[in-house]
Amino acid sequence: MGIIEHIGRYFLLLKDTFSRPEKASIYWRRTVEEMDLLGLKSLGIVALLSFFMGAVITIQTKTNIDSPLIQAWVVGFATRQSTILEFSPTIIALILAGKVGSNIAAEIGSMRVKEQIDALDIMGVNSAGYLILPKIVASMFINPFLVMVSMFLSIFGGYVAGTASGIIGSSDYLQGIQTNFIPYHITYALIKTVVFAFIIATVSAYQGYYTKGGTREVGISSTQAVVYSNVVILIVNYALTQFLLI
Amino acid sequence: MIEVKGISKRFGTTQVLTDINAVFQKGKVNQIIGKSGSGKSVLAKCIVGLHVPEEGQVLYEGHSFHDMDRDEKKMIRQEIGMLFQGSALFDSITVMQNVLFPLQMFGTMSKSEMEDRAHSCLKRVNILDKDRLFPAELSGGMQKRVGIARAIAMNPKYLFCDEPNSGLDPQTSILIDDLIKEITEEFNTTTIVITHDMNSVMETGENIIFIHQGRKWWEGSKDDLLNSENKELNEFIFAGGLMRQVKKAMTGRS
């Protein structure tokens, strides 16, 4: 199957996904369940990763700009900018593509090979809408929350690492993270997050929904979901940055 | 009643079904039999609309399924109950929730009425005491019973059973066969069973269609089966020693 056919089939799946739900109350209940499964259960890994990544950014920045001509607060400023503009929205999206994307593809793929999706179709349920729409809505709703937590913890991690190791003073770091703050950068990061959430949910669901075969193929779909989600995220990241920041 | 007219289906360059014509009668257990890979499951999937045939029509009470719009197809599908080969129960929810599922999606009943209906379906298949278990905690035969309970929850007009006895011991197979027969009579459904289990054919088959190499090769009742002169059919049904002995006992001929 060629790439054009895949893209066509992806958009046809999206059309089915966004068609009228059978019973809104059941879809809403499933959306809340997915928020817990896809979002809140990822909070731990996001928090851990963000804290230590912020710490590393601070230490690396300091070692790379250790010059009497550069003021000390620049370390805090660079940590904040790296975190808000790229690390939290993009790197966390790539991590979530691995964790959540593989989960989505494996769940839907298993349902396909066990004929559970056929069972839904035969009952007259719009299987694409029932299975995929709640995941899309939940991801687009909960991921911005995860990214905001990530931003806070990354900057906090930088503060802890910088002050604990003595490479930057507390007041310098705090001055740095407040210097030249542009609120639009938060908006830019959240727009990227919502778009990436959509990509993760839909690309992974597509891989799972069209799984053919058995458990081995479910594993392959799961891997492909992560790989393709990451590739699409990186391409769209470039396009969005070009479009929103320049 | 379901009628198929001139159904042909291919996957890529492989022709799977060729010009199949058949009538599946109401209130009867209609069986589609044939070797593995003969195309019988594909035919069933064409009938329920999971596959779209390249040629031919499927008529539900005279109305062509493939000419129906999305909402009409949905209405027909809500009148279909299907028992899958692997049961296809939703494994993240309990037995009770599986049976409640179609009622919650499409039913207009109150919560307590839905629960009463689900209970009566589980009771009908003698598995009410397992309602709080998850599918993975049930044996294959029990999963089939839950599959039947879910299939009849919406009072279907059409019941499809894909290899209902696969993976079951002979005793449990007979129980499932009896259940399918009883439900067909009780609900007056048009029942289509896809099977290659000759015990099941002799137990419940009323109108039997033999598919061979993607074509309808033979059609008749279970009484006609033993006396058929059709070479491919005989090779299929008498492949096992038991059926040869049955024939000898019944007809005196080997």
PDB file of all heavy atoms in Angstrom, chain A residues 211-228:
ATOM      1  N   THR A 211      -5.030  -2.947  11.724  1.00  0.00           N
ATOM      2  CA  THR A 211      -4.161  -4.097  11.974  1.00  0.00           C
ATOM      3  C   THR A 211      -4.794  -5.334  11.350  1.00  0.00           C
ATOM      4  O   THR A 211      -6.000  -5.545  11.457  1.00  0.00           O
ATOM      5  CB  THR A 211      -4.000  -4.332  13.497  1.00  0.00           C
ATOM      6  OG1 THR A 211      -3.446  -3.161  14.064  1.00  0.00           O
ATOM      7  CG2 THR A 211      -3.099  -5.522  13.786  1.00  0.00           C
ATOM      8  N   LYS A 212      -3.954  -6.132  10.687  1.00  0.00           N
ATOM      9  CA  LYS A 212      -4.445  -7.403  10.129  1.00  0.00           C
ATOM     10  C   LYS A 212      -3.552  -8.506  10.646  1.00  0.00           C
ATOM     11  O   LYS A 212      -2.336  -8.326  10.676  1.00  0.00           O
ATOM     12  CB  LYS A 212      -4.354  -7.369   8.599  1.00  0.00           C
ATOM     13  CG  LYS A 212      -5.538  -6.713   7.936  1.00  0.00           C
ATOM     14  CD  LYS A 212      -5.406  -6.788   6.438  1.00  0.00           C
ATOM     15  CE  LYS A 212      -6.544  -6.008   5.786  1.00  0.00           C
ATOM     16  NZ  LYS A 212      -6.286  -5.774   4.375  1.00  0.00           N
ATOM     17  N   GLY A 213      -4.131  -9.620  11.013  1.00  0.00           N
ATOM     18  CA  GLY A 213      -3.325 -10.764  11.440  1.00  0.00           C
ATOM     19  C   GLY A 213      -3.526 -11.105  12.900  1.00  0.00           C
ATOM     20  O   GLY A 213      -4.665 -11.171  13.367  1.00  0.00           O
ATOM     21  N   GLY A 214      -2.422 -11.275  13.615  1.00  0.00           N
ATOM     22  CA  GLY A 214      -2.520 -11.715  15.010  1.00  0.00           C
ATOM     23  C   GLY A 214      -1.693 -10.857  15.943  1.00  0.00           C
ATOM     24  O   GLY A 214      -1.464  -9.677  15.660  1.00  0.00           O
ATOM     25  N   THR A 215      -1.213 -11.470  17.018  1.00  0.00           N
ATOM     26  CA  THR A 215      -0.528 -10.700  18.056  1.00  0.00           C
ATOM     27  C   THR A 215       0.781 -10.079  17.541  1.00  0.00           C
ATOM     28  O   THR A 215       1.149  -8.987  17.962  1.00  0.00           O
ATOM     29  CB  THR A 215      -0.211 -11.607  19.255  1.00  0.00           C
ATOM     30  OG1 THR A 215       0.356 -12.820  18.764  1.00  0.00           O
ATOM     31  CG2 THR A 215      -1.457 -11.947  20.046  1.00  0.00           C
ATOM     32  N   ARG A 216       1.456 -10.775  16.640  1.00  0.00           N
ATOM     33  CA  ARG A 216       2.702 -10.238  16.094  1.00  0.00           C
ATOM     34  C   ARG A 216       2.419  -8.917  15.368  1.00  0.00           C
ATOM     35  O   ARG A 216       3.141  -7.936  15.507  1.00  0.00           O
ATOM     36  CB  ARG A 216       3.314 -11.271  15.135  1.00  0.00           C
ATOM     37  CG  ARG A 216       4.663 -10.879  14.603  1.00  0.00           C
ATOM     38  CD  ARG A 216       5.269 -12.012  13.770  1.00  0.00           C
ATOM     39  NE  ARG A 216       6.380 -11.514  12.986  1.00  0.00           N
ATOM     40  CZ  ARG A 216       6.265 -11.016  11.768  1.00  0.00           C
ATOM     41  NH1 ARG A 216       5.083 -10.958  11.193  1.00  0.00           N
ATOM     42  NH2 ARG A 216       7.316 -10.571  11.122  1.00  0.00           N
ATOM     43  N   GLU A 217       1.324  -8.908  14.598  1.00  0.00           N
ATOM     44  CA  GLU A 217       0.970  -7.710  13.830  1.00  0.00           C
ATOM     45  C   GLU A 217       0.539  -6.572  14.764  1.00  0.00           C
ATOM     46  O   GLU A 217       0.740  -5.402  14.434  1.00  0.00           O
ATOM     47  CB  GLU A 217      -0.138  -8.025  12.821  1.00  0.00           C
ATOM     48  CG  GLU A 217       0.326  -8.765  11.576  1.00  0.00           C
ATOM     49  CD  GLU A 217       0.692 -10.227  11.821  1.00  0.00           C
ATOM     50  OE1 GLU A 217       0.279 -10.765  12.867  1.00  0.00           O
ATOM     51  OE2 GLU A 217       1.391 -10.821  10.984  1.00  0.00           O
ATOM     52  N   VAL A 218      -0.059  -6.944  15.904  1.00  0.00           N
ATOM     53  CA  VAL A 218      -0.423  -5.902  16.881  1.00  0.00           C
ATOM     54  C   VAL A 218       0.855  -5.218  17.374  1.00  0.00           C
ATOM     55  O   VAL A 218       0.915  -3.986  17.501  1.00  0.00           O
ATOM     56  CB  VAL A 218      -1.212  -6.498  18.073  1.00  0.00           C
ATOM     57  CG1 VAL A 218      -1.437  -5.454  19.162  1.00  0.00           C
ATOM     58  CG2 VAL A 218      -2.556  -7.050  17.608  1.00  0.00           C
ATOM     59  N   GLY A 219       1.895  -6.017  17.623  1.00  0.00           N
ATOM     60  CA  GLY A 219       3.183  -5.468  18.043  1.00  0.00           C
ATOM     61  C   GLY A 219       3.771  -4.554  16.976  1.00  0.00           C
ATOM     62  O   GLY A 219       4.268  -3.467  17.278  1.00  0.00           O
ATOM     63  N   ILE A 220       3.660  -4.996  15.709  1.00  0.00           N
ATOM     64  CA  ILE A 220       4.195  -4.176  14.608  1.00  0.00           C
ATOM     65  C   ILE A 220       3.423  -2.855  14.514  1.00  0.00           C
ATOM     66  O   ILE A 220       4.011  -1.782  14.373  1.00  0.00           O
ATOM     67  CB  ILE A 220       4.118  -4.962  13.272  1.00  0.00           C
ATOM     68  CG1 ILE A 220       5.095  -6.152  13.313  1.00  0.00           C
ATOM     69  CG2 ILE A 220       4.427  -4.061  12.079  1.00  0.00           C
ATOM     70  CD1 ILE A 220       4.949  -7.130  12.163  1.00  0.00           C
ATOM     71  N   SER A 221       2.102  -2.937  14.635  1.00  0.00           N
ATOM     72  CA  SER A 221       1.272  -1.715  14.576  1.00  0.00           C
ATOM     73  C   SER A 221       1.664  -0.754  15.682  1.00  0.00           C
ATOM     74  O   SER A 221       1.715   0.466  15.497  1.00  0.00           O
ATOM     75  CB  SER A 221      -0.207  -2.056  14.743  1.00  0.00           C
ATOM     76  OG  SER A 221      -0.645  -2.820  13.676  1.00  0.00           O
ATOM     77  N   SER A 222       1.922  -1.322  16.842  1.00  0.00           N
ATOM     78  CA  SER A 222       2.275  -0.519  17.999  1.00  0.00           C
ATOM     79  C   SER A 222       3.595   0.228  17.748  1.00  0.00           C
ATOM     80  O   SER A 222       3.706   1.423  18.016  1.00  0.00           O
ATOM     81  CB  SER A 222       2.427  -1.479  19.175  1.00  0.00           C
ATOM     82  OG  SER A 222       2.237  -0.830  20.351  1.00  0.00           O
ATOM     83  N   THR A 223       4.562  -0.484  17.195  1.00  0.00           N
ATOM     84  CA  THR A 223       5.858   0.138  16.891  1.00  0.00           C
ATOM     85  C   THR A 223       5.693   1.206  15.813  1.00  0.00           C
ATOM     86  O   THR A 223       6.235   2.313  15.926  1.00  0.00           O
ATOM     87  CB  THR A 223       6.851  -0.940  16.388  1.00  0.00           C
ATOM     88  OG1 THR A 223       6.856  -2.001  17.323  1.00  0.00           O
ATOM     89  CG2 THR A 223       8.250  -0.390  16.231  1.00  0.00           C
ATOM     90  N   GLN A 224       4.915   0.859  14.774  1.00  0.00           N
ATOM     91  CA  GLN A 224       4.706   1.828  13.690  1.00  0.00           C
ATOM     92  C   GLN A 224       3.996   3.082  14.187  1.00  0.00           C
ATOM     93  O   GLN A 224       4.282   4.190  13.734  1.00  0.00           O
ATOM     94  CB  GLN A 224       3.880   1.188  12.573  1.00  0.00           C
ATOM     95  CG  GLN A 224       4.727   0.233  11.728  1.00  0.00           C
ATOM     96  CD  GLN A 224       3.914  -0.470  10.664  1.00  0.00           C
ATOM     97  OE1 GLN A 224       2.704  -0.638  10.807  1.00  0.00           O
ATOM     98  NE2 GLN A 224       4.564  -0.910   9.608  1.00  0.00           N
ATOM     99  N   ALA A 225       3.089   2.887  15.137  1.00  0.00           N
ATOM    100  CA  ALA A 225       2.357   4.033  15.693  1.00  0.00           C
ATOM    101  C   ALA A 225       3.350   5.023  16.300  1.00  0.00           C
ATOM    102  O   ALA A 225       3.239   6.237  16.087  1.00  0.00           O
ATOM    103  CB  ALA A 225       1.360   3.554  16.752  1.00  0.00           C
ATOM    104  N   VAL A 226       4.326   4.508  17.039  1.00  0.00           N
ATOM    105  CA  VAL A 226       5.310   5.380  17.695  1.00  0.00           C
ATOM    106  C   VAL A 226       6.197   6.051  16.641  1.00  0.00           C
ATOM    107  O   VAL A 226       6.394   7.269  16.664  1.00  0.00           O
ATOM    108  CB  VAL A 226       6.178   4.561  18.688  1.00  0.00           C
ATOM    109  CG1 VAL A 226       7.224   5.455  19.334  1.00  0.00           C
ATOM    110  CG2 VAL A 226       5.300   3.913  19.742  1.00  0.00           C
ATOM    111  N   VAL A 227       6.681   5.249  15.688  1.00  0.00           N
ATOM    112  CA  VAL A 227       7.607   5.783  14.682  1.00  0.00           C
ATOM    113  C   VAL A 227       6.912   6.866  13.839  1.00  0.00           C
ATOM    114  O   VAL A 227       7.410   7.990  13.710  1.00  0.00           O
ATOM    115  CB  VAL A 227       8.126   4.635  13.771  1.00  0.00           C
ATOM    116  CG1 VAL A 227       8.936   5.194  12.609  1.00  0.00           C
ATOM    117  CG2 VAL A 227       8.967   3.662  14.578  1.00  0.00           C
ATOM    118  N   TYR A 228       5.721   6.540  13.310  1.00  0.00           N
ATOM    119  CA  TYR A 228       5.044   7.505  12.429  1.00  0.00           C
ATOM    120  C   TYR A 228       4.576   8.739  13.193  1.00  0.00           C
ATOM    121  O   TYR A 228       4.614   9.852  12.669  1.00  0.00           O
ATOM    122  CB  TYR A 228       3.872   6.841  11.690  1.00  0.00           C
ATOM    123  CG  TYR A 228       4.331   5.799  10.687  1.00  0.00           C
ATOM    124  CD1 TYR A 228       3.713   4.568  10.572  1.00  0.00           C
ATOM    125  CD2 TYR A 228       5.415   6.049   9.847  1.00  0.00           C
ATOM    126  CE1 TYR A 228       4.145   3.613   9.669  1.00  0.00           C
ATOM    127  CE2 TYR A 228       5.862   5.093   8.946  1.00  0.00           C
ATOM    128  CZ  TYR A 228       5.221   3.880   8.863  1.00  0.00           C
ATOM    129  OH  TYR A 228       5.666   2.938   7.971  1.00  0.00           O
TER     130      TYR A 228
END
